[in-house]
Amino acid sequence: MANFNKVILIGNLTRDIELRHTQGGLAIAKLGMAINRKFTQNGETKETTCFVDLTAFGRQAETLSQYVSKGSPLFVEGRLEYSTWESQEGGKRSKLEVVIENFQFMGGRGQGGGAGGGGGASGEEGGAPQRRGGRPAQQQQAEGEVDYGDIPF
């Protein structure tokens, strides 16, 4: 049986990024995202919010901590990861989070979008960030528009 673990999210950061480094020097960023969903039920428009914990590693972690903060909009591609551990009180704890594989800044300067006109980053090291399809990240749509050619389904 085939397996597939991919998450695509667009939302706003719920807190400033917590950046740490391992003893080996690897950067680890912990961040939270809120994703709003509007729907109609019995003719009434309602809204729910889903809160998701995310983790980024290496250069991505450093770039995120440099350019985004609480309230910033962000596009994220990643995978789900489930962790379990023993708490200090002796009970079992668990957590489901998203490990960031790629991301794209959204919004412009002064809008919590970070690196000017909506720059971006992917999992690749070095060079100017590129969006899927080879187009430079700086040549984005206006804020709030989604390039449906970038969505893999």
Side-chain angles (χ1 to χ4, degrees):
M1 176 179 204
N3 294 299
F4 186 72
N5 184 357
K6 181 67 113 180
V7 176
I8 298 173
L9 302 170
I10 296 176
N12 295 314
L13 300 188
T14 59
R15 60 184 184 265
D16 287 334
I17 293 175
E18 178 184 323
L19 182 67
R20 295 184 181 179
H21 291 83
T22 64
Q23 291 179 350
L26 177 67
I28 301 173
K30 297 285 189 176
L31 51 152
M33 181 180 278
I35 299 98
N36 297 320
R37 175 180 172 258
K38 290 184 181 181
F39 61 97
T40 304
Q41 187 177 41
N42 299 327
E44 183 181 343
T45 301
K46 295 185 177 186
E47 185 173 350
T48 62
T49 304
C50 179
F51 296 96
V52 179
D53 290 322
L54 302 108
T55 302
F57 295 95
R59 182 74 182 122
Q60 288 183 331
E62 293 168 354
T63 301
L64 283 166
S65 83
Q66 183 178 0
Y67 291 108
V68 293
S69 59
K70 181 178 179 178
S72 297
L74 192 64
F75 171 91
V76 170
E77 290 180 86
R79 68 180 188 277
L80 289 174
E81 192 165 286
Y82 183 73
S83 304
T84 59
W85 68 95
E86 291 285 330
S87 69
Q88 292 178 347
E89 296 82 35
K92 283 196 171 205
R93 301 289 310 247
S94 63
K95 182 177 188 177
L96 184 64
E97 65 182 344
V98 174
V99 175
I100 297 173
E101 294 175 343
N102 294 298
F103 66 88
Q104 181 70 44
F105 296 134
M106 300 179 70
R109 288 181 194 233
Q111 299 174 1
S122 69
E124 297 150 12
E125 295 285 337
Q130 295 284 317
R131 293 181 42 156
R132 209 176 279 140
R135 193 171 56 181
Q138 289 75 17
Q139 297 176 356
Q140 287 193 80
Q141 264 89 355
E143 180 183 354
E145 291 184 15
V146 175
D147 183 354
Y148 292 101
D150 283 351
I151 299 176
F153 50 86

